[in-house]
């Protein structure tokens, strides 16, 4: 959208409309820092209307897409909302992905996720709520350990960074909770693979595991979680890890809407050519996590679902859309990955850049420097920099933004039903409902 605005935003004969369920751009690599109270939630978002002043914007969920009639159905307005039908000449599908629960209702109903800004804020609130509960005098020392047991499922980037952030936040907040000892707190990371962060290789994965253990995180690899219940996490051998807080970061899956489209798919993602055009449907492009884009630098295998690929794909698609308006053919997408980085807590990180490996404080500093440079607009960079500076100077903020009283005062139309149910269930204010 940014590249289309630069090329087409001021033209009178072209209208570019962006459809999004949120009216802001979210910088997802820093979600775990919001959950850990390192950053304020407003620091990693920016209004789409401010970011794209020359484009039309529609806030809502895409509920239907007719590629033959060239129409898109967008619903908005909450529970009492309505739908609009938008017509188009060209459409770019950049719908991202959804959390993959692998068909298990337990994780869907009893676990938190880390995909949205609301997820990060809800997790932070949940962590504080658990500390408040465990510190209460009415609880016995033996009965509160499961309250301060936190389990993260999935050892990829999201899972590792979330586990490190939870561990940092909990132990950083304990000075305010005198009845909870460090020994009572248990932060566990469960991963089905041989080593965490498999994208970075076994050596950096092993380093990450050792560092997490050194920081106090219990890491279990080679274990596929059987289920998640109200009692806790069920392991393959039937063992139940008692906990009230589970974060599910075990992978992603393409949006369910794609299944209804009459296009060729590859593992659920839209199969496109090297120009990111959907074969058989002129004027339809797809990119990012929802598309299977051939990597011409890697034998035509699908590009990995990473932000650095999606950013470059967005620029190429924008150029190809402009070329199509002029009746010219588009260009193929070519990009070789530069590297990947992860922050693993306690000002430590791991990185593999241009084949070189980095770890420790330098990798953490590199992570912050690179991602700070990628934030859009100067004001966002300043907010994040100030947040990091304050985090270095002061202790963790343990203000519970969503408390039981506020939950009772919330009205259903203020949020989608699933989000409302999730918040109520996390706070323990109502029995678990069935989806």
């Amino acid at each position: 959208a940014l590249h289309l605005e630069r090329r087409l935003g001021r033209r009178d004969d072209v209208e570019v409309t962006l459809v999004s369920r949120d009216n802001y751009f979210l910088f997802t690599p820093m979600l775990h820092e919001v959950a850990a109270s390192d950053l304020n939630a407003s620091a990693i978002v920016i209004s789409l209307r401010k970011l794209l002043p020359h484009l039309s914007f529609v806030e809502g969920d895409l509920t239907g897409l007719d590629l033959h009639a060239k129409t898109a159905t967008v619903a908005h307005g909450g529970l009492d909302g309505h739908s609009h039908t938008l017509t188009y000449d060209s459409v770019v599908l950049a719908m991202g992905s959804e959390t993959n629960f692998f068909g298990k209702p337990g994780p869907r109903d009893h676990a938190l996720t880390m995909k949205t800004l609301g997820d990060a804020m809800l997790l932070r609130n949940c962590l504080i709520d658990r500390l408040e509960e465990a510190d209460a005098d009415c609880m016995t020392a033996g009965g509160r350990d499961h309250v301060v047991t936190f389990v993260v499922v999935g050892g990829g980037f999201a899972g590792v960074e979330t586990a490190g952030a939870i561990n940092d936040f909990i132990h950083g907040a304990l000075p305010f909770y005198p009845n909870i000892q460090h020994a009572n707190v248990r932060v566990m990371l469960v991963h089905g693979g041989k080593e965490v962060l498999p994208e970075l290789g076994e050596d950096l994965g092993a380093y990450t595991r050792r560092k997490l253990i050194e920081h106090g995180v219990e890491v279990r690899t080679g274990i596929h979680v059987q289920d998640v219940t109200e009692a806790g996490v069920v392991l393959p051998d039937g063992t139940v890890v008692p906990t009230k807080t589970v974060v599910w970061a075990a992978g992603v899956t393409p949006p369910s809407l794609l299944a209804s489209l009459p296009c060729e798919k590859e593992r659920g993602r839209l199969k496109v050519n090297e120009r990111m055009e959907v074969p058989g449907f002129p004027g339809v492009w797809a990119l990012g996590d929802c598309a299977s884009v051939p990597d011409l630098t890697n034998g035509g295998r699908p590009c990995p679902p990473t932000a650095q690929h999606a950013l470059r794909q967005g620029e190429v698609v924008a150029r190809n859309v402009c070329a199509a308006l002029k009746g010219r053919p588009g260009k193929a997408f070519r990009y070789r990955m530069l590297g990947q980085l992860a922050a693993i807590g306690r000002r430590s990180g791991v990185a593999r850049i241009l084949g070189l490996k980095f770890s420790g404080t330098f990798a953490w500093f590199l992570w912050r420097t690179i991602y700070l440079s990628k934030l859009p607009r100067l004001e966002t960079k300043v907010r994040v920099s100030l947040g990091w500076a304050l985090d270095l100077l002061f202790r963790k903020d343990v203000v519970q933004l969503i408390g039981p009283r506020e939950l009772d005062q919330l009205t259903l139309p203020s949020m989608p039903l699933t989000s409302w149910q999730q918040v109520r269930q996390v706070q323990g204010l109502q029995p678990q409902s069935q989806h």
Side-chain angles (χ1 to χ4, degrees):
L2 285 167
H3 292 290
L4 284 176
E5 186 194 43
R6 292 168 188 165
R7 291 171 170 82
L8 305 174
R10 298 180 184 274
R11 285 178 53 171
D12 295 330
D13 60 332
V14 179
E15 181 181 9
V16 182
T17 300
L18 174 64
V19 176
S20 172
R21 67 180 54 178
D22 301 309
N23 76 338
Y24 54 80
F25 167 78
L26 170 66
F27 196 73
T28 54
M30 294 180 180
L31 269 180
H32 67 279
E33 298 214 328
V34 172
S37 203
D38 295 338
L39 291 174
N40 189 282
S42 61
I44 64 170
V45 295
I46 186 168
S47 166
L48 288 174
R49 296 184 182 274
K50 181 185 292 187
L51 193 61
L52 304 162
H54 302 295
L55 300 190
S56 299
F57 173 70
V58 176
E59 182 185 47
D61 285 304
L62 184 68
T63 58
L65 191 65
D66 191 330
L67 299 182
H68 296 288
K70 294 191 173 184
T71 60
T73 304
V74 180
H76 66 91
L79 296 176
D80 59 346
H82 55 280
S83 299
H84 292 284
T85 299
L86 308 178
T87 59
Y88 63 84
D89 297 298
S90 300
V91 63
V92 178
L93 301 177
M95 301 164 62
S97 57
E98 301 173 352
T99 301
N100 192 351
F101 295 102
F102 301 97
K104 300 177 183 288
R108 184 186 300 275
D109 294 342
H110 299 283
L112 300 172
T113 56
M114 276 293 284
K115 285 286 289 180
T116 68
L117 185 63
D119 290 340
M121 296 177 66
L122 187 59
L123 175 58
R124 177 186 177 279
N125 180 83
C126 181
L127 297 178
I128 299 172
D129 188 63
R130 298 296 180 254
L131 292 174
E132 296 290 349
E133 182 179 351
D135 191 69
D137 294 335
C138 61
M139 299 196 63
T140 64
R144 68 185 175 203
D145 287 355
H146 74 286
V147 178
V148 286
T149 295
F150 309 93
V151 180
V152 179
V153 182
F157 285 96
V160 166
E161 291 181 332
T162 300
I166 290 175
N167 191 61
D168 284 359
F169 177 78
I170 294 297
H171 288 285
L174 283 186
F176 301 107
Y177 297 91
N179 295 325
I180 306 175
Q181 304 300 318
H182 285 272
N184 297 126
V185 176
R186 187 182 184 189
V187 179
M188 180 187 295
L189 175 64
V190 182
H191 179 54
K194 180 180 179 182
E195 201 60 85
V196 297
L197 293 182
E199 300 89 345
L200 294 180
E202 284 194 17
D203 47 356
L204 286 179
Y207 171 85
T208 300
R209 176 171 51 81
R210 291 195 301 270
K211 270 295 181 183
L212 288 173
I213 294 173
E214 181 183 316
H215 298 163
V217 178
E218 182 179 341
V219 181
R220 296 193 181 187
T221 57
I223 297 178
H224 294 275
V225 170
Q226 191 73 22
D227 201 1
V228 179
T229 67
E230 290 186 15
V233 176
V234 183
L235 302 181
D237 60 359
T239 303
V240 177
V241 179
T243 178
K244 297 180 69 174
T245 310
V246 182
V247 181
W248 189 267
V252 295
T253 186
S256 55
L257 179 64
L258 298 185
S260 64
L261 300 183
C263 308
E264 187 177 357
K265 317 286 193 320
E266 186 170 355
R267 294 186 176 181
R269 299 195 289 173
L270 295 177
K271 191 171 183 179
V272 299
N273 60 24
E274 65 276 7
R275 295 182 297 277
M276 284 164 287
E277 300 167 329
V278 177
F281 296 91
V284 180
W285 287 267
L287 61 94
D289 289 8
C290 73
S292 179
V293 181
D295 187 352
L296 300 182
T297 67
N298 192 25
R301 297 182 181 89
C303 292
T306 65
Q308 59 181 297
H309 281 86
L311 285 170
R312 276 79 177 185
Q313 290 168 7
E315 182 176 3
V316 174
V317 166
R319 291 178 178 175
N320 290 347
V321 169
C322 295
L325 292 177
K326 300 176 182 178
R328 299 174 183 172
K331 293 185 177 181
F333 172 72
R334 291 180 180 273
Y335 174 69
R336 189 178 296 277
M337 182 181 292
L338 297 177
Q340 293 178 294
L341 309 94
I344 60 177
R346 299 286 179 90
R347 297 185 175 87
S348 297
V350 289
R352 184 189 295 273
I353 300 176
L354 298 176
L356 301 177
K357 304 172 188 176
F358 304 93
S359 59
T361 304
F362 177 75
W364 169 80
F365 179 78
L366 199 61
W367 183 94
R368 285 201 161 184
T369 302
I370 290 177
Y371 280 117
L372 183 67
S373 69
K374 293 183 178 296
L375 283 166
R377 296 178 68 100
L378 177 62
E379 62 182 278
T380 314
K381 292 180 172 66
V382 171
R383 286 198 186 104
V384 169
S385 299
L386 289 175
W388 283 342
L390 293 174
D391 179 60
L392 291 172
L393 296 174
F394 301 104
R395 290 183 174 181
K396 297 291 185 183
D397 179 14
V398 292
V399 174
Q400 189 175 4
L401 299 176
I402 309 174
R405 291 183 180 180
E406 287 77 9
L407 283 171
D408 286 337
Q409 294 170 359
L410 286 174
T411 56
L412 282 174
S414 65
M415 61 175 67
L417 181 59
T418 53
S419 299
W420 166 259
Q421 289 174 335
Q422 188 182 36
V423 173
R424 299 281 293 185
Q425 291 155 8
V426 167
Q427 293 292 335
L429 298 180
Q430 67 179 26
Q432 184 68 47
S433 61
Q434 296 297 320
H435 288 262

